[in-house]
Coordinates of all heavy atoms in Angstrom, one line a residue:
N1 N 114.1 -67.7 -18.2 CA 113.3 -67.2 -17.0 C 114.1 -67.6 -15.7 O 113.5 -68.3 -14.9 CB 111.9 -67.7 -17.0 CG 111.0 -67.0 -16.0 OD1 111.4 -66.0 -15.4 ND2 109.8 -67.4 -15.9
P2 N 115.3 -67.0 -15.5 CA 116.1 -67.4 -14.4 C 115.5 -67.1 -13.0 O 116.0 -67.6 -12.0 CB 117.4 -66.7 -14.6 CG 117.0 -65.5 -15.4 CD 115.9 -66.0 -16.3
L3 N 114.5 -66.3 -12.9 CA 113.8 -65.9 -11.7 C 112.9 -67.0 -11.2 O 112.4 -67.1 -10.1 CB 113.1 -64.6 -11.7 CG 114.0 -63.4 -12.0 CD1 113.1 -62.1 -12.1 CD2 115.1 -63.2 -10.9
K4 N 112.5 -68.0 -12.2 CA 111.6 -69.0 -11.8 C 112.1 -70.4 -12.1 O 111.7 -71.4 -11.5 CB 110.2 -68.8 -12.6 CG 109.4 -67.6 -12.0 CD 108.0 -67.6 -12.6 CE 107.2 -66.5 -12.0 NZ 105.8 -66.5 -12.6
R5 N 113.0 -70.5 -13.2 CA 113.5 -71.8 -13.6 C 114.9 -71.8 -13.9 O 115.4 -70.8 -14.5 CB 112.7 -72.4 -14.8 CG 111.2 -72.7 -14.4 CD 110.6 -73.7 -15.2 NE 109.3 -74.1 -14.7 CZ 108.5 -74.9 -15.2 NH1 108.8 -75.4 -16.4 NH2 107.3 -75.2 -14.7
R6 N 115.7 -72.8 -13.6 CA 117.1 -72.9 -13.9 C 117.3 -74.3 -14.4 O 116.6 -75.3 -14.1 CB 118.0 -72.6 -12.8 CG 117.9 -71.1 -12.4 CD 118.8 -70.8 -11.2 NE 118.6 -69.4 -10.8 CZ 118.8 -68.9 -9.6 NH1 119.2 -69.7 -8.6 NH2 118.6 -67.6 -9.4
F7 N 118.3 -74.5 -15.3 CA 118.7 -75.7 -15.8 C 120.1 -76.1 -15.6 O 121.0 -75.2 -15.6 CB 118.4 -75.7 -17.4 CG 117.1 -75.2 -17.7 CD1 116.9 -74.0 -18.4 CD2 116.0 -76.0 -17.4 CE1 115.6 -73.6 -18.8 CE2 114.7 -75.5 -17.8 CZ 114.5 -74.3 -18.4
Y8 N 120.4 -77.3 -15.3 CA 121.8 -77.7 -15.0 C 122.2 -79.0 -15.8 O 121.3 -79.8 -16.1 CB 121.9 -78.1 -13.5 CG 121.3 -77.1 -12.6 CD1 120.1 -77.4 -11.8 CD2 121.8 -75.8 -12.4 CE1 119.5 -76.5 -11.0 CE2 121.2 -74.9 -11.6 CZ 120.1 -75.2 -10.8 OH 119.5 -74.3 -10.0
R9 N 123.4 -79.1 -16.0 CA 124.0 -80.3 -16.6 C 124.9 -80.9 -15.4 O 125.8 -80.3 -14.9 CB 124.9 -80.0 -17.8 CG 125.6 -81.3 -18.3 CD 126.3 -81.0 -19.6 NE 126.9 -82.2 -20.2 CZ 127.5 -82.3 -21.4 NH1 127.6 -81.2 -22.1 NH2 128.0 -83.4 -21.8
I10 N 124.6 -82.1 -15.1 CA 125.3 -82.8 -14.0 C 126.3 -83.8 -14.6 O 125.9 -84.7 -15.4 CB 124.3 -83.6 -13.1 CG1 123.2 -82.7 -12.6 CG2 125.1 -84.2 -11.9 CD1 122.1 -83.5 -11.9
I11 N 127.6 -83.5 -14.4 CA 128.6 -84.3 -15.0 C 128.8 -85.6 -14.3 O 128.9 -85.6 -13.1 CB 130.0 -83.5 -15.0 CG1 129.8 -82.1 -15.7 CG2 131.1 -84.3 -15.7 CD1 129.4 -82.2 -17.1
N12 N 128.7 -86.7 -15.0 CA 128.9 -88.0 -14.5 C 130.4 -88.3 -14.5 O 131.0 -88.4 -15.5 CB 128.1 -89.0 -15.3 CG 128.0 -90.4 -14.6 OD1 128.7 -90.7 -13.7 ND2 127.0 -91.1 -15.0
L13 N 130.9 -88.6 -13.3 CA 132.4 -88.9 -13.2 C 132.7 -90.2 -13.8 O 133.8 -90.4 -14.2 CB 132.8 -88.8 -11.7 CG 132.7 -87.5 -11.1 CD1 133.2 -87.5 -9.6 CD2 133.4 -86.4 -11.8
D14 N 131.7 -91.1 -13.9 CA 131.9 -92.3 -14.6 C 131.7 -92.1 -16.1 O 130.6 -92.1 -16.6 CB 130.9 -93.4 -14.1 CG 131.0 -94.7 -14.9 OD1 131.9 -94.8 -15.7 OD2 130.2 -95.6 -14.6
R15 N 132.8 -91.8 -16.8 CA 132.7 -91.3 -18.2 C 132.2 -92.4 -19.2 O 131.9 -92.2 -20.3 CB 134.0 -90.8 -18.7 CG 134.6 -89.7 -17.9 CD 133.5 -88.6 -17.6 NE 133.0 -88.0 -18.9 CZ 131.9 -87.3 -18.9 NH1 131.2 -87.0 -17.8 NH2 131.5 -86.7 -20.0
S16 N 132.0 -93.7 -18.6 CA 131.4 -94.7 -19.5 C 129.9 -94.6 -19.5 O 129.2 -95.3 -20.3 CB 131.8 -96.1 -18.9 OG 131.2 -96.3 -17.6
S17 N 129.4 -93.7 -18.7 CA 127.9 -93.5 -18.7 C 127.6 -92.0 -19.1 O 128.5 -91.2 -19.5 CB 127.4 -93.7 -17.3 OG 126.0 -93.7 -17.2
I18 N 126.3 -91.7 -19.2 CA 125.9 -90.4 -19.7 C 125.9 -89.4 -18.6 O 126.0 -89.7 -17.4 CB 124.4 -90.6 -20.2 CG1 123.5 -91.0 -19.1 CG2 124.4 -91.5 -21.4 CD1 122.0 -91.0 -19.4
D19 N 125.8 -88.1 -19.0 CA 125.6 -87.0 -18.1 C 124.1 -86.9 -17.9 O 123.3 -87.6 -18.5 CB 126.2 -85.7 -18.6 CG 127.7 -85.7 -18.6 OD1 128.3 -86.6 -17.9 OD2 128.3 -84.8 -19.3
Y20 N 123.7 -86.0 -17.0 CA 122.3 -85.8 -16.6 C 121.9 -84.3 -16.7 O 122.7 -83.4 -16.6 CB 122.0 -86.4 -15.2 CG 122.2 -87.8 -15.1 CD1 123.5 -88.3 -14.9 CD2 121.2 -88.7 -15.4 CE1 123.8 -89.7 -14.9 CE2 121.4 -90.1 -15.3 CZ 122.7 -90.6 -15.1 OH 122.9 -91.9 -15.1
F21 N 120.6 -84.2 -17.0 CA 120.0 -82.9 -17.1 C 119.0 -82.6 -15.9 O 118.3 -83.6 -15.6 CB 119.2 -82.7 -18.4 CG 118.4 -81.5 -18.5 CD1 118.9 -80.3 -18.9 CD2 117.0 -81.5 -18.3 CE1 118.2 -79.1 -19.0 CE2 116.2 -80.4 -18.4 CZ 116.8 -79.2 -18.8
A22 N 119.1 -81.5 -15.3 CA 118.2 -81.1 -14.2 C 117.4 -79.9 -14.5 O 118.0 -78.9 -15.0 CB 118.9 -81.0 -12.9
K23 N 116.1 -79.9 -14.3 CA 115.2 -78.7 -14.5 C 114.7 -78.3 -13.1 O 114.0 -79.1 -12.4 CB 114.1 -79.1 -15.4 CG 113.2 -77.9 -15.7 CD 112.2 -78.3 -16.8 CE 111.4 -77.1 -17.3 NZ 110.5 -77.5 -18.4
H24 N 115.0 -77.1 -12.7 CA 114.8 -76.6 -11.3 C 113.7 -75.5 -11.3 O 113.9 -74.5 -12.0 CB 116.1 -76.2 -10.7 CG 116.0 -75.7 -9.3 ND1 116.9 -74.8 -8.7 CD2 115.0 -75.8 -8.3 CE1 116.6 -74.6 -7.5 NE2 115.4 -75.1 -7.2
S25 N 112.6 -75.7 -10.6 CA 111.6 -74.7 -10.6 C 111.4 -74.2 -9.1 O 111.4 -74.9 -8.2 CB 110.2 -75.4 -11.0 OG 109.2 -74.4 -10.9
F26 N 111.3 -72.9 -9.0 CA 111.2 -72.2 -7.7 C 110.4 -71.0 -7.8 O 109.8 -70.7 -8.9 CB 112.6 -71.9 -7.1 CG 113.5 -71.2 -8.1 CD1 113.6 -69.8 -8.1 CD2 114.3 -71.9 -9.0 CE1 114.5 -69.2 -8.9 CE2 115.1 -71.3 -9.9 CZ 115.2 -69.9 -9.9
N27 N 110.2 -70.3 -6.7 CA 109.2 -69.2 -6.7 C 107.8 -69.6 -7.2 O 107.2 -68.9 -8.0 CB 109.7 -68.0 -7.5 CG 110.9 -67.3 -6.8 OD1 111.0 -67.3 -5.6 ND2 111.8 -66.7 -7.6
I28 N 107.4 -70.8 -6.8 CA 106.1 -71.4 -7.2 C 105.0 -70.7 -6.5 O 105.0 -70.5 -5.2 CB 106.1 -72.9 -6.9 CG1 107.3 -73.5 -7.6 CG2 104.8 -73.5 -7.5 CD1 107.5 -75.0 -7.3
S29 N 103.9 -70.3 -7.2 CA 102.8 -69.6 -6.6 C 102.1 -70.6 -5.6 O 102.2 -71.8 -5.8 CB 101.8 -69.1 -7.6 OG 101.2 -70.2 -8.3
L30 N 101.3 -70.1 -4.7 CA 100.6 -70.9 -3.7 C 99.7 -72.0 -4.3 O 99.7 -73.1 -3.9 CB 99.8 -70.0 -2.7 CG 99.1 -70.8 -1.6 CD1 100.0 -71.6 -0.8 CD2 98.3 -69.8 -0.8
R31 N 98.9 -71.5 -5.3 CA 98.0 -72.5 -5.9 C 98.7 -73.6 -6.6 O 98.2 -74.8 -6.6 CB 97.0 -71.8 -6.8 CG 97.5 -71.3 -8.1 CD 96.5 -70.5 -8.9 NE 97.0 -70.0 -10.2 CZ 96.9 -70.7 -11.3 NH1 96.3 -71.8 -11.3 NH2 97.4 -70.2 -12.4
K32 N 99.8 -73.3 -7.2 CA 100.6 -74.4 -7.9 C 101.3 -75.3 -6.9 O 101.5 -76.5 -7.1 CB 101.6 -73.8 -8.9 CG 100.9 -73.1 -10.1 CD 101.9 -72.5 -11.1 CE 101.2 -71.9 -12.2 NZ 102.1 -71.2 -13.2
R33 N 101.7 -74.7 -5.7 CA 102.3 -75.5 -4.7 C 101.3 -76.5 -4.1 O 101.6 -77.6 -3.9 CB 102.8 -74.6 -3.6 CG 104.0 -73.7 -4.0 CD 104.4 -72.8 -2.8 NE 104.9 -73.6 -1.7 CZ 105.2 -73.0 -0.5 NH1 105.1 -71.7 -0.3 NH2 105.6 -73.8 0.5
I34 N 100.0 -76.1 -4.0 CA 99.0 -77.0 -3.6 C 98.8 -78.1 -4.6 O 98.6 -79.2 -4.3 CB 97.7 -76.2 -3.3 CG1 97.9 -75.2 -2.2 CG2 96.5 -77.1 -3.0 CD1 96.7 -74.3 -1.9
G35 N 98.7 -77.7 -5.9 CA 98.6 -78.6 -7.0 C 99.7 -79.6 -7.0 O 99.5 -80.8 -7.2
A36 N 101.0 -79.1 -6.8 CA 102.1 -80.0 -6.7 C 102.1 -80.9 -5.5 O 102.4 -82.1 -5.6 CB 103.4 -79.2 -6.7
F37 N 101.6 -80.4 -4.4 CA 101.5 -81.3 -3.2 C 100.5 -82.4 -3.4 O 100.7 -83.5 -3.0 CB 101.0 -80.4 -2.0 CG 100.8 -81.1 -0.8 CD1 101.8 -81.7 0.0 CD2 99.5 -81.3 -0.3 CE1 101.5 -82.4 1.2 CE2 99.2 -82.0 0.8 CZ 100.2 -82.6 1.6
L38 N 99.4 -82.1 -4.0 CA 98.3 -83.1 -4.2 C 98.5 -83.9 -5.5 O 97.8 -84.9 -5.7 CB 96.9 -82.4 -4.2 CG 96.5 -81.7 -2.9 CD1 95.2 -80.9 -3.2 CD2 96.4 -82.6 -1.8
G39 N 99.4 -83.5 -6.4 CA 99.6 -84.1 -7.6 C 98.4 -83.9 -8.6 O 98.0 -84.7 -9.4
L40 N 97.8 -82.7 -8.5 CA 96.7 -82.3 -9.3 C 97.1 -81.2 -10.3 O 98.0 -80.5 -10.1 CB 95.5 -81.8 -8.4 CG 95.0 -82.8 -7.4 CD1 94.0 -82.1 -6.5 CD2 94.4 -84.0 -8.1
R41 N 96.3 -81.2 -11.4 CA 96.5 -80.2 -12.4 C 95.1 -79.6 -12.8 O 94.1 -80.1 -12.5 CB 97.1 -80.8 -13.7 CG 96.2 -81.8 -14.3 CD 96.9 -82.4 -15.6 NE 97.7 -83.6 -15.3 CZ 98.4 -84.1 -16.2 NH1 98.5 -83.6 -17.4 NH2 99.1 -85.2 -15.9
G42 N 95.2 -78.4 -13.5 CA 93.9 -77.8 -13.9 C 93.9 -76.3 -13.7 O 94.9 -75.8 -13.1
S43 N 92.9 -75.6 -14.0 CA 92.8 -74.2 -13.9 C 92.9 -73.7 -12.4 O 93.5 -72.7 -12.1 CB 91.5 -73.6 -14.5 OG 90.4 -74.3 -13.9
M44 N 92.4 -74.6 -11.5 CA 92.5 -74.2 -10.1 C 93.9 -74.3 -9.5 O 94.3 -73.5 -8.7 CB 91.5 -75.0 -9.3 CG 91.5 -74.7 -7.8 SD 90.3 -75.6 -6.9 CE 88.7 -75.1 -7.6
F45 N 94.6 -75.4 -9.9 CA 95.9 -75.7 -9.3 C 97.1 -75.5 -10.2 O 98.2 -75.7 -9.9 CB 95.9 -77.2 -8.8 CG 94.9 -77.5 -7.8 CD1 93.8 -78.3 -8.1 CD2 95.0 -77.0 -6.5 CE1 92.8 -78.6 -7.2 CE2 94.1 -77.3 -5.5 CZ 93.0 -78.1 -5.9
G46 N 96.8 -74.9 -11.4 CA 97.9 -74.7 -12.4 C 98.2 -75.9 -13.2 O 98.0 -77.0 -12.8

């Protein structure tokens, strides 16, 4: 679902350590933005 979420692998230049995974969410609806702002979940806030 590239219109709402993208995933990345971040290469760690220090090869003695691990790489990293990033999950990116965008085009978030207003009610979910409010839920994300307040740290709330549920039918009202997504």
Side-chain angles (χ1 to χ4, degrees):
N1 191 3
L3 297 179
K4 289 190 175 182
R5 293 206 171 173
R6 290 179 185 152
F7 308 112
Y8 314 112
R9 178 175 182 173
I10 308 169
I11 305 299
N12 193 341
L13 296 181
D14 178 4
R15 300 314 298 166
S16 63
S17 187
I18 60 172
D19 289 344
Y20 295 86
F21 171 80
K23 186 174 188 177
H24 180 198
S25 177
F26 47 96
N27 290 332
I28 304 171
S29 66
L30 178 59
R31 69 186 182 93
K32 291 180 182 178
R33 291 177 64 187
I34 295 172
F37 174 73
L38 297 173
L40 298 175
R41 64 176 92 187
S43 56
M44 182 178 295
F45 299 109

